[in-house]
Amino acid sequence: MPHTIQPLYKAMTKRLGDGTHDLKSDDMSHRLANLIVAGHGYLETTVKSPLISGVPGKSYFMFNDSIRSKTSRPVNRALYMEDINRNTIDRMMSCDVVGWDAEYITKVIYTCAMTYCCSADLLKTSDQKTPGTYFEVLIGHLVARVFDVNPKNQITVPTLDMTVTLPTDFIFDLGPGNNRIHLPTKISTRERVVQVWAHQRVLDGMHGVARFKGVLVAVAETNKQENKSVVEVCLPNQWVAYQMYIAQMHRVYYLDIPEKYLNLKDTYPFLQVKQFGEFFFEAESIRKSSAAA
Amino acid sequence: MPHTIQPLYKAMTKRLGDGTHDLKSDDMSHRLANLIVAGHGYLETTVKSPLISGVPGKSYFMFNDSIRSKTSRPVNRALYMEDINRNTIDRMMSCDVVGWDAEYITKVIYTCAMTYCCSADLLKTSDQKTPGTYFEVLIGHLVARVFDVNPKNQITVPTLDMTVTLPTDFIFDLGPGNNRIHLPTKISTRERVVQVWAHQRVLDGMHGVARFKGVLVAVAETNKQENKSVVEVCLPNQWVAYQMYIAQMHRVYYLDIPEKYLNLKDTYPFLQVKQFGEFFFEAESIRKSSAAA
């Protein structure tokens, strides 16, 4: 049912009368679940072709629509749940994770993320924008439900001379006595990731260091080569330099976490890179943690 | 003679045996001049179609190759010299600017920049990379000749734990007692410009504030709309925030300077945005200026 996916995507992006999203609403849970179910159903009608993995310990395939002669981005075999059902999707979209561990939650969200992204790869021509928007709404929805507050996408700052309004990634204001969260989302980071630290630096400069906790959420760093092999493109030394000299990100979460970034937590400057499922168990400590933590 | 342009582009990018460019060499002056002459000659065989200017005081056209059904990016009518000759191009590539003022130099370099960029627009399919590389080599060559030193594209930094090597934009080491120059080049800045301030911040953090003088060189901020009108996309408030909170760029030079950025020099934080021709008259003060300036 590929013809239902685009209307369901449009329904997901539909905004309220005042131009905002009620991201944390039950309505958004339903809109996302409908789109995920449609994407998953469509992908079940395609062929899964194996890819050559250049990443130790990981195995990848791609979806292959032979009628349209299109192939999808690489999918991590261990994380994608072919047999996911509507009830699991509905529970995830409601953030009802009772009895689930971080690893299972990560798999469910990875599957939810890839259903739309891979459907878009197969159904649309050179579509770079809608997967990024979809992932932003998906993560924004889950985090907004966990914190029970909708994010904003800009901040207004009065300076000595004038008032400056800047567009930003998601900003969650968790109320008096709690942290504010600066939450960028990226399908993959590549060379543009320095923006994340730079925006954190602007927030630190405007409002005081670590008043906003920086939390980056990304899918993966996989890259499909022309010979059908998959590699992970990681630049850990550059991340170390950004964390040392630009600003301090509080967390980086991945759905398909690259081993090379996982190790950044063990040496100075101790950048905490984790699978996204962990967020559901440490959200309260992120809400409350002190500037020094 | 479009068939000569691609080989001349490849000749321009050819590196020395050790993988570096001798950017400041007479040889590079010739390579660039040959490519500029070929591009200019080819563009003379195409049609100039007027565009609707949405920018007060500026008039634009585009080159139109009717055989290939291709059109170029917008060209500023007042800056592009249709009648430029080989001698003028050779003098510019040698940085022999005796008797020329900043405005004239800017026009000559704008013309040299646009000949290749517009030729690539017309001759190649979805070619985003070679114009950026061409512009980087063109500006790198001119600045290297003025300073009489070739730039590097990476810096190595020993930290307490390890040695970090980072790829960078051009870094000119002007010798003991002089400044070092951090010189990124961009055809246009758009949303990626925060990278420039972020990299300056890393250099400031690693080596001390303003030990490297940041000098951004860009062509223009024009955008051709679907209805054939041209607008300038400028975000001066964001630049103010970057200059206040991330790092301090010493100069921003344009070939086709947007009015909205020109005014940034008049109010705090006093970001100096100028036409690139000015560089040839203030290079010595940039070489010597103190951290406070």
Side-chain angles (χ1 to χ4, degrees), chain B residues 135 139 143 169-170 181-190 192-197 200 213-219 221 239 242 248-255 261 271-276 279 286:
Chain B
F135 183 62
I139 300 301
V143 173
D169 297 296
F170 287 136
I181 310 297
H182 164 225
L183 190 126
T185 64
K186 305 252 183 214
I187 299 271
S188 69
T189 65
R190 299 291 188 277
R192 292 162 292 112
V193 77
V194 72
Q195 291 174 353
V196 169
W197 273 268
Q200 181 65 35
K213 295 286 179 186
V215 177
L216 168 63
V217 185
V219 178
E221 300 296 353
W239 284 34
Y242 302 156
Q248 286 67 56
M249 292 298 290
H250 187 66
R251 287 285 185 280
V252 177
Y253 291 116
Y254 273 98
L255 295 177
Y261 288 146
L271 178 57
Q272 301 288 320
V273 185
K274 303 184 176 187
Q275 58 180 345
F276 184 54
F279 168 74
I286 291 173

Side-chain angles (χ1 to χ4, degrees), chain B residues 255-272:
Chain B
L255 295 177
D256 179 8
I257 193 167
E259 183 78 17
K260 282 184 185 164
Y261 288 146
L262 196 54
N263 300 335
L264 290 176
K265 71 179 189 306
D266 299 324
T267 53
Y268 181 82
F270 308 107
L271 178 57
Q272 301 288 320

Side-chain angles (χ1 to χ4, degrees), chain A residues 157 159 161-164 166-167 191-192 194-195 198-199 201-202 205-206 237-238 240-242 244-246 268, chain B residues 157 159 161-162 164 166-167 191-192 194-195 198-199 201-202 205-206 237-238 240-242 244-246 268:
Chain A
V157 188
T159 73
D161 310 298
M162 58 178 171
T163 297
V164 177
L166 290 179
E191 69 279 4
R192 294 162 290 110
V194 72
Q195 291 173 354
H199 291 150
R201 172 84 203 172
V202 171
M206 283 177 162
N237 284 349
Q238 293 191 27
V240 165
Y242 302 157
M244 284 173 74
Y245 297 119
I246 301 178
Y268 181 83
Chain B
V157 189
T159 73
D161 310 298
M162 56 178 174
V164 178
L166 289 180
E191 68 279 4
R192 292 162 292 112
V194 72
Q195 291 174 353
H199 290 150
R201 173 82 201 171
V202 171
M206 284 177 162
N237 284 351
Q238 293 192 28
V240 165
Y242 302 156
M244 284 173 73
Y245 297 118
I246 301 178
Y268 181 82

Side-chain angles (χ1 to χ4, degrees), chain B residues 29-30 32-34 36-38 40 81-98 100 104 108-109 111-112 142:
Chain B
S29 296
H30 293 308
L32 281 162
N34 288 340
I36 292 161
V37 167
H40 191 264
M81 298 166 64
E82 294 186 21
D83 56 352
I84 198 168
N85 61 34
R86 173 91 202 198
N87 180 251
T88 305
I89 294 167
D90 280 336
R91 278 189 61 190
M92 190 67 250
M93 291 307 111
S94 305
C95 293
D96 169 14
V97 297
V98 175
W100 293 359
Y104 186 77
V108 173
I109 301 173
T111 306
C112 292
L142 295 172

Side-chain angles (χ1 to χ4, degrees), chain A:
Chain A
M1 47 183 153
H3 62 286
T4 68
I5 291 173
Q6 207 47 32
L8 288 170
Y9 172 83
K10 284 203 177 125
M12 180 204 74
T13 60
K14 194 171 170 231
R15 287 168 179 269
L16 300 175
D18 63 358
T20 64
H21 261 147
D22 187 1
L23 267 180
K24 69 184 176 69
S25 65
D26 292 344
D27 180 49
M28 186 56 83
S29 296
H30 292 308
R31 291 197 228 170
L32 280 162
N34 288 340
L35 181 55
I36 292 160
V37 167
H40 191 263
Y42 160 62
L43 292 175
E44 286 298 298
T45 70
T46 68
V47 174
K48 294 173 194 71
S49 306
L51 291 165
I52 301 155
S53 174
V55 186
K58 294 185 181 180
S59 169
Y60 296 93
F61 67 87
M62 62 182 177
F63 292 102
N64 196 328
D65 188 325
S66 53
I67 296 164
R68 291 182 180 78
S69 298
K70 291 266 195 187
T71 61
S72 77
R73 63 194 66 199
V75 181
N76 185 316
R77 201 177 285 276
L79 293 173
Y80 187 81
M81 299 166 64
E82 293 187 21
D83 56 352
I84 199 168
N85 61 34
R86 174 90 203 199
N87 181 251
T88 305
I89 295 166
D90 280 337
R91 278 190 60 190
M92 190 68 250
M93 291 307 111
S94 304
C95 293
D96 169 13
V97 296
V98 175
W100 294 358
D101 64 12
E103 197 167 335
Y104 186 77
I105 295 170
T106 304
K107 283 175 65 172
V108 173
I109 300 173
Y110 180 82
T111 307
C112 293
M114 294 310 267
T115 51
Y116 180 77
C117 295
C118 292
S119 297
D121 291 342
L122 298 178
L123 296 171
K124 300 193 69 177
T125 309
S126 89
D127 176 19
Q128 302 207 334
K129 202 174 169 195
T130 71
T133 302
Y134 168 76
F135 183 63
E136 184 180 69
V137 173
L138 173 68
I139 299 302
H141 168 71
L142 295 172
V143 174
R145 276 191 90 89
V146 167
F147 286 137
D148 195 25
V149 61
N150 279 324
K152 292 194 166 52
N153 271 110
Q154 61 175 44
I155 51 168
T156 300
V157 188
T159 73
L160 291 174
D161 310 298
M162 58 178 171
T163 297
V164 177
T165 300
L166 290 179
T168 61
D169 296 297
F170 286 135
I171 298 286
F172 293 88
D173 181 348
L174 304 183
N178 293 320
N179 289 313
R180 287 172 178 79
I181 310 297
H182 163 226
L183 190 127
T185 64
K186 305 253 182 212
I187 298 271
S188 70
T189 65
R190 300 291 187 276
E191 69 279 4
R192 294 162 290 110
V193 77
V194 72
Q195 291 173 354
V196 169
W197 274 268
H199 291 150
Q200 180 65 35
R201 172 84 203 172
V202 171
L203 292 170
D204 284 355
M206 283 177 162
H207 303 287
V209 171
R211 183 135 182 202
F212 289 72
K213 294 284 177 187
V215 177
L216 168 62
V217 186
V219 178
E221 301 296 353
T222 50
N223 198 12
K224 189 169 74 177
Q225 316 282 87
E226 282 185 26
N227 63 357
K228 295 196 178 171
S229 70
V230 179
V231 296
E232 283 182 335
V233 181
C234 296
L235 301 166
N237 284 349
Q238 293 191 27
W239 285 33
V240 165
Y242 302 157
Q243 186 78 356
M244 284 173 74
Y245 297 119
I246 301 178
Q248 286 68 55
M249 292 298 291
H250 188 65
R251 287 286 184 282
V252 177
Y253 291 116
Y254 273 96
L255 296 177
D256 179 7
I257 192 167
E259 183 80 17
K260 282 185 185 164
Y261 288 147
L262 196 54
N263 299 335
L264 290 176
K265 72 178 188 308
D266 299 324
T267 53
Y268 181 83
F270 308 107
L271 178 57
Q272 300 287 321
V273 184
K274 303 184 176 188
Q275 58 180 344
F276 184 54
E278 302 279 358
F279 168 74
F280 293 80
F281 301 95
E282 59 184 13
E284 282 314 300
S285 72
I286 292 173
R287 185 202 295 268
K288 290 289 184 189
S289 65
S290 68

